[in-house]
Amino acid sequence: MVPGTRAGAEGAAGWTGRASLHLVTTLAYWAVFVVGWIGARDERDGHARPLWPLNPWALATWVVVAVPTILQVTVWPGLFDAGMRRAAAVEDGQVWRLVTSMTLQDGWRSGAVFNLAFLAVTVVVCGPVLAGWRFPAVFVVGGILANVATIVTHGPDGAGNSMATMVTVVVSALLVRASPRPEQAAGTTVEGRDGKPGGVVRRGPGEDAEQSRATEEARGGAQDGSRSGAAAAVARWLPLGVVVVAAALLVVGADEHGWAVVIGLALGAALVMGSRRSPTE
């Protein structure tokens, strides 16, 4: 073997592996947002929640993030060092960086455009789900927890609102997909083709041909209802399944956004359980 050939091959293989991992985590990152937005659209009654008028609290959240970001990338670059997430500074007591880092961008101009655009879409799509002050509450709490997780897991120093936005999207999707369906809440059942409740109806000894046909139609209606119910369940939970897989890929790929997705799933599950335990009005 020519000297240096093995080292060069190993270096090329390592570069290819890193490039592949970066591609996987990038696709997982996009999947969380796109599928999460789809999952947050509430179409349980056949019609999605109206997106207009915008949730004013959600819109205010976008403004609070956008103003410092715009100042940082235009006329006040010193804001970045003053407010970024820096593990050593936070451990020394500058815990406010856990919040201020959400209003700055370590990607600078390109990061600002990207993150503010994604937050704007989230404001429109998830604002109706997290009504009123719930949107900024989830955004801030989720962002703080994601920053803490990044520091604890020895993630990189930096800044950006992408993790807080991701938590908000995941929580919204989980709230929509895990909430009871209207027909479940009302206690209704799927009807067969003859209007009877879906189920297996056996032919009695005294049934004539017409009654037998009615029985078969009822059985067919029950089977149709079972198939449609299974398809509805898949459509209901598929977005969350994709989000879980994406979270695993991000965590394995050592991307701090993976912990943001995990936090979003945990926070969303807690809110769902809390809403189910609360007394109905």
Side-chain angles (χ1 to χ4, degrees), residues 91-179:
E91 292 169 359
D92 285 341
Q94 299 180 21
V95 293
W96 41 267
R97 289 179 178 270
L98 299 174
V99 177
T100 57
S101 61
M102 289 185 277
T103 66
L104 304 168
Q105 310 296 335
D106 55 18
W108 291 85
R109 292 188 179 182
S110 60
V113 172
F114 187 86
N115 284 343
L116 290 181
F118 270 47
L119 179 56
V121 175
T122 302
V123 165
V124 174
V125 174
C126 302
V129 180
L130 298 170
W133 56 268
R134 294 173 182 82
F135 186 99
V138 169
F139 182 88
V140 173
V141 172
I144 291 174
L145 293 176
N147 278 330
V148 170
T150 300
I151 294 174
V152 170
T153 57
H154 306 288
D157 293 341
N161 62 277
S162 58
M163 291 195 295
T165 304
M166 190 171 278
V167 171
T168 305
V169 171
V170 173
V171 169
S172 300
L174 186 56
L175 286 175
V176 169
R177 297 293 155 169
S179 59

Side-chain angles (χ1 to χ4, degrees), residues 6-216:
R6 181 175 180 179
E10 292 177 350
W15 181 88
T16 301
R18 290 191 297 272
S20 299
L21 182 60
H22 177 71
L23 176 61
V24 170
T25 55
T26 299
L27 292 175
Y29 179 96
W30 277 84
V32 171
F33 277 111
V34 175
V35 177
W37 288 328
I38 294 173
R41 298 294 288 127
D42 188 356
E43 299 180 351
R44 291 173 298 166
D45 57 355
H47 301 283
R49 292 175 186 259
L51 299 178
W52 191 265
L54 297 177
N55 178 350
W57 287 83
L59 183 59
T61 302
W62 187 91
V63 172
V64 168
V65 172
V67 170
T69 291
I70 294 172
L71 290 175
Q72 171 211 332
V73 301
T74 54
V75 298
W76 198 352
L79 275 178
F80 181 74
D81 289 332
M84 66 177 290
R85 179 186 65 249
R86 183 177 286 121
V90 173
E91 292 169 359
D92 285 341
Q94 299 180 21
V95 293
W96 41 267
R97 289 179 178 270
L98 299 174
V99 177
T100 57
S101 61
M102 289 185 277
T103 66
L104 304 168
Q105 310 296 335
D106 55 18
W108 291 85
R109 292 188 179 182
S110 60
V113 172
F114 187 86
N115 284 343
L116 290 181
F118 270 47
L119 179 56
V121 175
T122 302
V123 165
V124 174
V125 174
C126 302
V129 180
L130 298 170
W133 56 268
R134 294 173 182 82
F135 186 99
V138 169
F139 182 88
V140 173
V141 172
I144 291 174
L145 293 176
N147 278 330
V148 170
T150 300
I151 294 174
V152 170
T153 57
H154 306 288
D157 293 341
N161 62 277
S162 58
M163 291 195 295
T165 304
M166 190 171 278
V167 171
T168 305
V169 171
V170 173
V171 169
S172 300
L174 186 56
L175 286 175
V176 169
R177 297 293 155 169
S179 59
R181 306 291 94 177
E183 61 272 13
Q184 293 173 338
T188 58
T189 58
V190 178
E191 294 185 349
R193 293 175 183 171
D194 60 349
K196 297 178 181 179
V200 177
V201 183
R202 293 181 174 82
R203 180 180 176 181
E207 287 184 346
D208 55 20
E210 183 175 351
Q211 291 173 326
S212 177
R213 284 194 298 271
T215 300
E216 292 300 324

